[in-house]
Amino acid sequence: MPAHRGMAFVELGVSELDRSLDLYSGQLGFAPGATTVDSAGHRVAVLGSGPAVLRLVEVGPDGRPTGWTPDNRQCGIRHFGMKVADTDAWAARLAGSGVPFDMPPTDAVGGVRIAFFRDPDGACLEFVHGYVQHHNLWSAELAREEIDADRDWDGTPRFDHVAITVPDLDDALARYATRLGFGAVGQVVRPGDEHGFLITNLRAGTATLEIFSFTDPLPGEATAGEPDLLGLRAIGLHGLRAPEVAPGHIQLNPGSS
């Protein structure tokens, strides 16, 4: 098995970098780093100070939507999740400033309290409070690892997870756990769900990869790797070269190739 790889970044295409910085840095508190220019001439801002950071790429007002829909059965990157100490307080703070919410603070399966909202370009973001209680726990050590890592955390938003929907769970586990060395933590079961919704959590360094699987998944959009996309569009890993984007991470159907 390959060495355990950590998640390096989640990448979002944005239409106006300064507007997005107001949310991610100004309101959510992710520490701003240097702003650079990529090979396509786009301004790029990296936010955060930990091993896993946010990478915002300004593609301009003519950027194209990723084709994301609110149905979690659609394959591809679903949302980016942030751990907070108080979901209700953070949701109230952002809602009070006009940030649109798709789901107000809600107690969810797995024993966590969550809320979903959108960034200025429509990317789906999540606040989550608490630590997931897995119905099928595969590694108590990996589950404790996240709790232990938060002992000195101040409760402000931090990089927690990226959720993806895959067309075939076995294929996804072969890729992420076997080939890329992600640690398998466990599964959250949604009993009675008509679509067989199952959440499988893998540990990627200091972050989690949430794999959504269904008995009837929907296809994603065939726009892999195109530089003018808005919204959530790539996951990068340490341990390849640099870090760089892993095979399958820069496409909207990351379990299909």
Side-chain angles (χ1 to χ4, degrees):
M1 179 176 292
H4 185 69
R5 301 192 192 281
M7 198 180 296
F9 62 80
V10 59
E11 181 178 289
L12 298 98
V14 303
S15 56
E16 298 179 31
L17 184 58
D18 291 340
R19 181 178 66 169
S20 294
L21 286 172
D22 180 66
L23 172 66
Y24 288 103
S25 181
Q27 297 186 67
L28 294 172
F30 283 87
T35 298
T36 59
V37 177
D38 67 12
S39 59
H42 299 146
R43 289 199 299 161
V44 179
V46 175
L47 306 180
S49 57
V53 298
L54 307 184
R55 176 179 160 90
L56 307 182
V57 181
E58 185 178 53
V59 301
D62 296 327
R64 294 187 298 110
T66 59
W68 183 94
T69 70
D71 192 333
N72 275 329
R73 291 181 299 154
Q74 182 194 40
C75 291
I77 301 175
R78 300 307 308 161
H79 66 259
F80 163 58
M82 289 160 274
K83 185 78 74 179
V84 292
D86 189 331
T87 296
D88 294 72
W90 277 97
R93 179 183 302 183
L94 263 62
S97 66
V99 174
F101 274 73
D102 291 344
M103 176 190 289
T106 303
D107 291 329
V109 175
V112 293
R113 189 161 176 82
I114 64 176
F116 285 97
F117 59 102
R118 301 287 188 94
D119 83 351
D121 292 293
C124 186
L125 310 177
E126 180 186 17
F127 284 143
V128 56
H129 166 71
Y131 300 94
V132 173
Q133 303 301 305
H134 295 86
H135 300 107
N136 301 323
L137 180 62
W138 295 338
S139 174
E141 180 181 358
L142 288 174
R144 286 194 303 269
E145 184 179 282
E146 180 184 9
I147 299 173
D148 291 343
D150 279 348
R151 287 182 177 174
D152 296 323
W153 172 52
D154 64 4
T156 58
R158 68 158 178 80
F159 195 117
D160 183 66
H161 69 272
V162 179
I164 64 173
T165 295
V166 300
D168 185 281
L169 179 58
D170 289 339
D171 286 349
L173 290 176
R175 164 175 291 172
Y176 296 111
T178 303
R179 287 174 49 197
L180 295 175
F182 286 25
V185 184
Q187 294 178 315
V188 177
V189 181
R190 298 174 64 92
D193 187 275
E194 62 178 327
H195 301 290
F197 187 11
L198 179 67
I199 300 173
T200 302
N201 286 327
L202 305 182
R203 189 77 174 153
T206 61
T208 296
L209 182 68
E210 281 189 355
I211 298 178
F212 291 179
S213 57
F214 298 85
T215 54
D216 56 349
L218 300 175
E221 296 292 309
T223 49
E226 298 182 10
D228 61 342
L229 290 179
L230 294 167
L232 289 160
R233 63 187 204 174
I235 304 168
L237 300 179
H238 291 292
L240 294 174
R241 290 195 309 269
E244 66 181 40
V245 176
H249 283 252
I250 198 167
Q251 59 188 28
L252 294 179
N253 193 356
S256 66
S257 63

